Amino acid sequence: MGSYFIKRIFQTIPVILGVITLTFILMYIVPGDPVMSMVGERYDEATIQKLREELHLDDPIWMQYFRFLGNLLHGDLGRSFVTFNPVLDDLLTRFPFTLTLALSAMIVSILIGLSVGILSSLKPNSLLDRGTMMFALAGISAPVFWVGLLLILYVSVYLKWLPPTGYGGIEYLILPAITLGTRSAAFLARMTRATMLDVLQQDYIRTARAKGLPEWKVILKHAFPNTLIPVITIIGVDFGSYLSGAVLTESIFGWPGIGRFALDAILKRDFPVIQGTVLFTALMFISANLIVDLFYGVVDPRIRFERKQ
Amino acid sequence: MNHFLQNQWSASLQQLKQDKGAMVGLSLVLLLLFIGFFAPWLAPMDPYVQILEYQKKPAGFKGNILVFSGNPNIQGDNFVAIQSFKTLEDSIHYVDLLDRTFTAHIHELSGENETDWHKTPRFWLGTDNFGRDILSRIIFGARISLKVGFIASTISLMLGVLLGVLSGYYGRWVDTLVMRFTDIMFGFPALLFLIGITAAFEPSLTVVFFAIGFVSWPSMARVVRGQVLSVKKQEYILAARVLGLPDWRIIVRHILPNCLAPIIVAYTMGIAGAIMAEASLSFIGLGAQPPTPSWGAMINYGKDFLRVAPWMSVYPGLAIALTVLGFNLLGDGLRDALDPKMKQEFR
């Protein structure tokens, strides 16, 4: 068991190195001079030369790469061209917002997704089942930014129940959390239903019913725990991508998280911030996936065994 | 292709025909193809024509316009919104929306007859902030979504199949190299990665095609590799090798035809993903540029007028949702019909 965990953790090291390298290369080959985006409209040759030297932009690429790696090891992601703040500081200030939104979206997704999935699996092909599954498919197909705008339109503009954008109390969190959680909830509902239908056919469910257990106990204690693997996959992967910044949702609702930070940086061509954010979010994403994988090993011994082979 | 394979395909086709969801999906996709193909004949208006007097008019608004022939070298016809008009011999008197009366010579008007220069178009889905017909823009927008969907998925298909086959067939270091690279690609959050790539270049649809294709091939490569690995072990491949057939021939004639089912499913799902990705990029302003009628871009322009003209964003969003729904339903149906085992693998 221990060896599976260690092996799996070590497997991510080359991936992380690869992500760092690819990010570096992408930033290197980007058309446009980063110094020009720093100095803006008014500049003179001397300033440009000084900046190039300060940033070591005239060094050979491999030297720049190793300096980049060295700085990363010191937790140095460089400074923003626009605000001159250290990128890591800015990321860490915004991370709590992203985390709050991600957790809330997950709660929405789990509450809706699981209950809808279980309910519709109990009476397959009934009107309720067909209706909810159609709704789930619509949830997957609707663009998240459009869902967000529709919610603002009906809940904030017409009904005036919640503020449309901004941040502060919980009233600001509800709409973004629903927007972000909808798609995940829809996936979760479909996956839960499909897995439940599978599990409900099993012999041990028949046995549980035969020995006279009440139906709710059969469902919740015997059937549901066996659907956990695919359910955890979806929750884990989605949570990982939310942690890496829900760009669209955050920008629609003016939520000051990492996604909006990244988008602002991209639109302003603030290269150190783009590079830092992409790296930071990729690490978040990889860690979340790693945790999901490790979790499989805990809940399902078959996976440990299979992976060893 | 041998008889066994042919029989399997026709059995799958039978199953697909009985799948109501898949048929709804197929109908939506066919409808979209029809709309995209015949857009110039179906659209009631030119999607680029601005009638500035008719800004942000709600769905169902009926216009009353005179068409003046503009200088063909500079621009097309001019559209002027009016309240009423009278023709007197070879001149025309009309009252505009500000109650001003104008006179013009009949030759300044476009075409020969009154039906050519006087129109009362119905704006079924309303107009946008430039007074353009939203329905016509949505109809032309179908072309963009289809183009992105097919071109980006085809790029991803070619890269994914090529690398997946090499990886699965040759194994060893080729496999390690390709699979580690897909791991790295999967390490990036997809949308942010895509935004980063498109932002590095001048925003245009061509950049979007390639960026989406480049970001989405790894999942295709994984699907293909997995399938190649299982097909490779079959005895008929061994037989082909013993016969001394060259590798490319074994791959093209014997391995690829047996990998088609998951490739078709992944391709169909990929189209839905690419359409969604383009809409997201255009929504942020990194995809199609104005005045191109891309659905995502239309929602982007519309979001600033959400309170006064919600139809500007609501209808294009509905178009995206229905299109993606169509491809998803079709993909779901294809998956069930072609390979029930794959149910667990896709999301």
Side-chain angles (χ1 to χ4, degrees):
Chain A
M1 176 135 176
S3 71
Y4 165 70
F5 286 154
I6 293 169
K7 199 175 150 198
R8 189 64 195 77
I9 290 168
F10 269 94
Q11 274 174 353
T12 53
I13 292 176
V15 174
I16 291 174
L17 256 178
V19 165
I20 293 173
T21 313
L22 194 60
T23 314
F24 176 80
I25 294 173
L26 279 178
M27 285 299 133
Y28 194 82
I29 57 171
V30 160
D33 190 338
V35 173
M36 297 310 259
S37 50
M38 272 178 94
V39 293
E41 296 280 308
R42 277 184 248 157
Y43 61 86
D44 59 272
E45 280 303 314
T47 325
I48 288 184
Q49 198 49 42
K50 201 173 136 236
L51 272 172
R52 290 194 77 84
E53 273 165 28
E54 262 175 34
L55 295 168
H56 306 285
L57 287 176
D58 293 327
D59 289 352
I61 179 172
W62 58 270
M63 264 175 81
Q64 290 191 40
Y65 177 64
F66 283 109
R67 186 171 297 114
F68 176 63
L69 280 185
N71 289 342
L72 277 185
L73 286 177
H74 291 102
D76 180 5
L77 288 173
R79 281 169 185 273
S80 158
F81 283 170
V82 180
T83 61
F84 299 104
N85 287 340
V87 174
L88 188 65
D89 289 3
D90 276 354
L91 282 171
L92 292 179
T93 334
R94 282 161 176 85
F95 187 63
F97 286 99
T98 294
L99 185 65
T100 315
L101 180 57
L103 284 172
S104 329
M106 258 14 274
I107 294 172
V108 170
S109 154
I110 292 171
L111 284 181
I112 300 177
L114 286 188
S115 47
V116 167
I118 293 177
L119 275 180
S120 63
S121 74
L122 297 182
K123 288 202 171 135
N125 294 326
S126 63
L127 203 65
L128 178 81
D129 177 35
R130 278 161 190 267
T132 49
M133 282 306 113
M134 204 58 214
F135 207 69
L137 207 58
I140 292 170
S141 308
V144 64
F145 51 91
W146 184 61
V147 173
L149 289 177
L150 287 184
L151 282 174
I152 293 181
L153 184 64
Y154 287 102
V155 181
S156 304
V157 177
Y158 289 163
L159 299 173
K160 298 192 173 48
W161 283 354
L162 292 167
T165 56
Y167 60 100
I170 193 167
E171 69 271 23
Y172 288 95
L173 188 59
I174 298 173
L175 290 187
I178 295 176
T179 304
L180 194 55
T182 302
R183 207 171 143 78
S184 179
F187 270 126
L188 209 52
R190 274 161 62 95
M191 187 53 88
T192 309
R193 174 186 178 271
T195 327
M196 276 292 281
L197 284 180
D198 225 35
V199 170
L200 287 173
Q201 307 279 324
Q202 303 291 325
D203 288 342
Y204 56 82
I205 297 297
R206 199 179 318 134
T207 313
R209 282 187 180 139
K211 73 183 181 187
L213 282 185
E215 188 63 16
W216 64 268
K217 226 171 179 174
V218 173
I219 302 295
L220 290 183
K221 286 212 153 172
H222 293 258
F224 177 65
N226 285 293
T227 63
L228 278 181
I229 289 266
V231 165
I232 288 170
T233 313
I234 293 185
I235 294 175
V237 171
D238 283 348
F239 189 62
S241 66
Y242 296 165
L243 273 190
S244 59
V247 182
L248 298 167
T249 310
E250 289 186 3
S251 69
I252 291 172
F253 289 97
W255 189 257
I258 287 180
R260 218 185 96 194
F261 183 53
L263 188 62
D264 285 347
I266 284 165
L267 297 179
K268 285 179 192 152
R269 303 211 146 213
D270 192 347
F271 290 103
V273 176
I274 301 176
Q275 197 172 39
T277 320
V278 169
L279 267 182
F280 184 85
T281 55
L283 287 185
M284 282 292 143
F285 195 55
I286 293 171
S287 319
N289 286 343
L290 177 67
I291 293 170
V292 172
D293 265 15
L294 296 181
F295 201 75
Y296 287 159
V298 178
V299 292
D300 192 343
R302 283 173 304 183
I303 289 175
R304 271 193 321 261
F305 181 66
E306 196 180 311
R307 298 269 165 104
K308 260 187 202 164
Q309 286 182 329
Chain B
M1 218 179 280
N2 61 31
H3 282 297
F4 175 69
L5 267 181
Q6 265 170 8
N7 286 339
Q8 253 194 343
W9 283 105
S10 60
S12 297
L13 196 67
Q14 278 304 320
Q15 197 189 328
L16 192 67
K17 276 186 191 160
Q18 281 157 13
D19 185 340
K20 274 187 204 145
M23 286 302 110
V24 172
L26 184 66
S27 320
L28 281 171
V29 170
L30 289 178
L31 179 71
L32 185 76
L33 285 169
F34 178 79
I35 290 175
F37 199 78
F38 295 102
W41 293 276
L42 292 173
M45 300 273 294
D46 179 328
Y48 296 101
V49 156
Q50 305 182 354
I51 305 170
L52 293 172
E53 294 90 336
Y54 289 155
Q55 284 171 27
K56 292 172 280 194
K57 293 291 178 202
F61 175 80
K62 196 170 180 196
N64 188 6
I65 45 185
L66 289 181
V67 187
F68 287 88
S69 52
N71 182 341
N73 294 324
I74 306 170
Q75 60 183 106
D77 293 338
N78 290 326
F79 292 74
V80 176
I82 54 163
Q83 293 189 37
S84 59
F85 75 95
K86 256 193 326 222
T87 41
L88 288 171
E89 294 176 7
D90 53 358
S91 66
I92 176 166
H93 303 270
Y94 63 92
V95 183
D96 76 354
L97 297 191
L98 297 172
D99 288 329
R100 297 176 298 188
T101 309
F102 292 92
T103 308
H105 198 273
I106 207 99
H107 294 306
E108 292 173 48
L109 293 165
S110 173
E112 302 287 321
N113 309 312
E114 188 179 325
T115 48
D116 293 332
W117 48 258
H118 177 236
K119 308 222 183 249
T120 51
R122 175 82 72 182
F123 298 95
W124 292 105
L125 299 182
T127 64
D128 68 7
N129 54 320
F130 290 107
R132 295 176 296 202
D133 179 33
I134 289 180
L135 175 64
S136 305
R137 291 179 67 75
I138 288 179
I139 290 174
F140 273 86
R143 293 184 154 193
I144 293 172
S145 286
L146 282 171
K147 259 193 221 163
V148 171
F150 283 103
I151 296 178
S153 316
T154 306
I155 294 173
S156 138
L157 173 85
M158 290 192 298
L159 281 173
V161 168
L162 181 73
L163 293 171
V165 164
L166 288 180
S167 178
Y169 187 78
Y170 290 105
R172 295 169 188 260
W173 64 269
V174 182
D175 187 33
T176 313
L177 196 73
V178 174
M179 282 303 113
R180 285 301 83 79
F181 194 62
T182 59
D183 285 345
I184 294 169
M185 296 285 289
F186 274 118
F188 291 98
L191 184 63
L192 202 59
F193 194 24
L194 205 54
I195 292 175
I197 295 177
T198 39
F201 301 91
E202 281 295 306
S204 77
L205 278 176
T206 321
V207 171
V208 170
F209 295 153
F210 282 97
I212 297 176
F214 177 70
V215 170
S216 53
W217 67 264
S219 48
M220 178 65 90
R222 279 196 182 174
V223 169
V224 175
R225 173 183 175 268
Q227 190 70 14
V228 171
L229 280 181
S230 76
V231 172
K232 198 171 80 168
K233 289 185 198 137
Q234 306 293 322
E235 282 173 4
Y236 55 85
I237 301 296
L238 188 67
R241 280 212 181 125
V242 171
L243 284 173
L245 291 184
D247 282 350
W248 66 267
R249 209 186 146 108
I250 298 180
I251 290 171
V252 174
R253 293 292 302 270
H254 301 280
I255 289 190
L256 275 184
N258 288 293
C259 299
L260 272 184
I263 292 178
I264 292 173
V265 176
Y267 184 74
T268 315
M269 296 293 200
I271 293 175
I275 290 175
M276 191 71 105
E278 183 274 330
S280 308
L281 286 173
S282 296
F283 175 72
I284 304 174
L286 291 171
Q289 295 302 302
T292 315
S294 145
W295 294 339
M298 290 172 73
I299 302 179
N300 185 27
Y301 315 141
K303 76 173 192 294
D304 298 331
F305 305 98
L306 198 61
R307 282 162 198 273
V308 285
W311 51 87
M312 277 178 67
S313 8
V314 171
Y315 297 122
L318 198 62
I320 301 174
L322 284 175
T323 303
V324 174
L325 180 71
F327 281 103
N328 275 340
L329 278 171
L330 184 61
D332 266 3
L334 282 170
R335 180 185 55 205
D336 293 348
L338 292 173
D339 189 356
K341 277 182 304 189
M342 284 164 59
K343 263 190 174 166
Q344 297 292 320
E345 289 170 26
F346 279 91
R347 275 191 50 199

